[in-house]
Amino acid sequence: MKDHESEEMYLETILVLKGERPAVRSIDIAEKLGYAKSSVSRGVSLLQDRGYIRVGDDGFIDFTESGREKANGIYERHNILTKFFMEIGADEALAESNACRIEHVIDDRIFELIKKQVNKH
């Protein structure tokens, strides 16, 4: 995993997959992101080393408490930013694609201002 953005992308993907199916494995992440299994294995290992996830003997991935908290925060950013962009006139596809890029780099103070604006509506 190269950077902070990749870490967040993996955590968000695991969270989304956990909402779609009862159990998540590395292969599921690879398929969802279109990445090589070897890249995902390395990323999963790093998330495990950082204490965000646990991988059982069966290969199933579970969040630690801090991992779930971080993933939920990332997902909230994604959803709030998508809603914001749609409120100002972007279509859903454009809003989603920009939210995906911006959610990883936006300043916390700016995000909180956007969140307040979205929650007013």
Side-chain angles (χ1 to χ4, degrees):
M1 201 172 318
K2 295 177 193 162
D3 56 18
H4 176 70
E5 288 179 41
S6 295
E7 177 181 284
E8 289 186 351
M9 184 177 53
Y10 275 84
L11 289 169
E12 184 178 12
T13 300
I14 293 167
L15 183 69
V16 168
L17 286 169
K18 283 186 155 299
E20 296 173 355
R21 58 190 74 194
V24 176
R25 299 165 300 148
S26 291
I27 187 68
D28 302 319
I29 299 166
E31 288 173 0
K32 180 87 170 176
L33 294 175
Y35 289 179
K37 288 190 319 186
S38 59
S39 296
V40 172
S41 291
R42 185 173 151 336
V44 165
S45 180
L46 287 170
L47 289 176
Q48 204 171 0
D49 292 346
R50 292 177 182 157
Y52 292 129
I53 61 171
R54 290 180 297 278
V55 181
D57 293 337
D58 54 8
F60 294 129
I61 298 169
D62 284 309
F63 284 115
T64 62
E65 189 174 326
S66 66
R68 178 168 298 283
E69 187 176 303
K70 186 166 176 98
N72 282 332
I74 296 160
Y75 194 60
E76 177 191 38
R77 281 180 176 234
H78 178 90
N79 289 329
I80 293 288
L81 289 168
T82 299
K83 285 178 189 172
F84 177 72
F85 295 139
M86 289 175 69
E87 283 179 9
I88 61 172
D91 65 49
E92 188 173 356
L94 183 61
E96 282 274 340
S97 68
N98 278 273
C100 282
R101 291 194 311 251
I102 293 169
E103 69 194 25
H104 305 291
V105 295
I106 191 170
D107 180 88
D108 289 341
R109 294 168 295 181
I110 296 295
F111 174 72
E112 287 303 318
L113 292 171
I114 292 171
K115 184 176 172 180
K116 274 187 200 174
Q117 186 65 34
V118 168
N119 287 336
K120 282 182 184 177
H121 299 129

